């Protein structure tokens, strides 16, 4: 049996970090379409040149191209114990394509990380980057008050230019426009669960693990014993 996990969640929810950790702890490859596209562009492969040409023209990578990338990636042997998909699908047509790709395999386990928009905006407002070394920090820090200087190098902390509230709200608008229909697409399946992503990272980690195990049982998979080990 394989744990074929799909992670859904708004930008800034910490989905990539949670997906990464879950994948590592369960011996599964984490598959991020963003990473694949970046690597392809850097490698200068045929795919990479196609992607770069699209980006240079300011166009989005279309469903057909991104679906082709995922189909190829999910055809590799390292996904036998399962996978954790992050950043795909983003639309209902992509979700339909994914169903076709994994036809005949173990059912998908789809986990939605829910974080209220206002919490995401608050997090972004509090994000600072070190001018000297580039470290990202939360201005709220661990203790009381705002963090003033970089803990690593003592550099000045500044607001990231792409972190303005307007940009975040625009990203959230796009996310909800494309994702609400996808939640409807997956929502009625026994393989779908929502978890509270506004908790501490450790609590989210635990919620994610128990949701995956519950779903695995609900869709008739035996527990994740030795997956990928
Ligand atoms: Zn620094």
């Amino acid at each position: 049996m394989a744990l074929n996990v799909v992670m859904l969640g708004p930008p800034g929810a910490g989905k990539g970090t949670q997906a990464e950790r879950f994948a590592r702890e369960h011996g599964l490859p984490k598959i991020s379409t963003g990473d694949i596209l970046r690597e392809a562009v850097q490698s200068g492969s045929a795919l990479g040149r196609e992607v770069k040409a699209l980006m240079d023209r300011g166009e989005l990578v279309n469903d057909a191209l991104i679906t082709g990338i995922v189909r190829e990636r999910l055809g590799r042997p390292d996904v036998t114990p399962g996978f954790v998909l992050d950043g795909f699908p983003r639309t209902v047509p992509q979700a339909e394509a994914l169903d076709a790709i994994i036809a005949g395999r173990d059912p998908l386990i789809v986990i939605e990380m829910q974080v209220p928009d206002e919490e995401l905006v608050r997090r972004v407002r509090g994000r600072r980057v070190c001018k000297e070394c580039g470290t990202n920090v939360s201005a709220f820090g661990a203790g009381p008050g705002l963090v003033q200087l970089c803990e690593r190098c003592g550099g000045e902390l500044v607001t990231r230019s792409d972190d303005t509230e307007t940009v975040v709200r625009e990203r959230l608008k796009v996310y909800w426009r494309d994702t609400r229909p996808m939640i409807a697409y997956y929502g009625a399946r026994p393989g779908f669960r929502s978890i509270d992503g506004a908790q501490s990272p450790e609590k989210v980690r635990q919620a994610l693990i128990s949701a995956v195990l519950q779903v695995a049982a609900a869709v008739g998979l035996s527990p994740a014993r030795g997956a990928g080990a």
Side-chain angles (χ1 to χ4, degrees), residues 51-133:
V51 171
K52 188 169 184 307
L54 281 173
M55 287 173 167
D56 288 347
R57 294 200 299 269
E59 291 172 32
L60 289 175
V61 179
N62 58 51
D63 278 353
L65 183 58
I66 201 89
T67 299
I69 288 168
V70 172
R71 182 181 295 111
E72 187 278 329
R73 182 63 188 84
L74 294 183
R76 293 194 210 160
D78 67 335
V79 303
T80 304
F83 52 79
V84 181
L85 259 179
D86 166 32
F88 182 93
R90 282 189 198 277
T91 62
V92 170
Q94 290 182 5
E96 289 168 348
L98 178 60
D99 277 340
I101 291 168
I102 69 137
R105 304 194 202 182
D106 284 320
L108 290 176
I109 295 172
V110 182
I111 308 292
E112 179 204 14
M113 272 177 67
Q114 288 184 335
V115 182
D117 285 5
E118 289 315 310
E119 167 64 13
L120 295 168
V121 171
R122 193 192 72 90
R123 286 184 190 178
V124 162
R125 262 194 220 128
R127 205 177 298 158
R128 301 288 184 273
V129 60
C130 174
K131 234 165 118 179
E132 306 301 325
C133 74

Side-chain angles (χ1 to χ4, degrees), residues 2 29 72 90 98 133 140 154 157 166 173 194 196 207:
E72 187 278 329
R90 282 189 198 277
L98 178 60
C133 74
F140 302 113
L157 299 176
T166 321
K173 212 160 81 186
S194 292
D196 177 5

Side-chain angles (χ1 to χ4, degrees), residues 126-139 147-161 163:
R127 205 177 298 158
R128 301 288 184 273
V129 60
C130 174
K131 234 165 118 179
E132 306 301 325
C133 74
T135 300
N136 283 299
V137 293
S138 165
V147 177
Q148 305 290 346
L149 295 173
C150 174
E151 280 190 357
R152 186 180 289 175
C153 76
E156 186 189 345
L157 299 176
V158 293
T159 307
R160 270 170 46 159
S161 57
D163 278 349

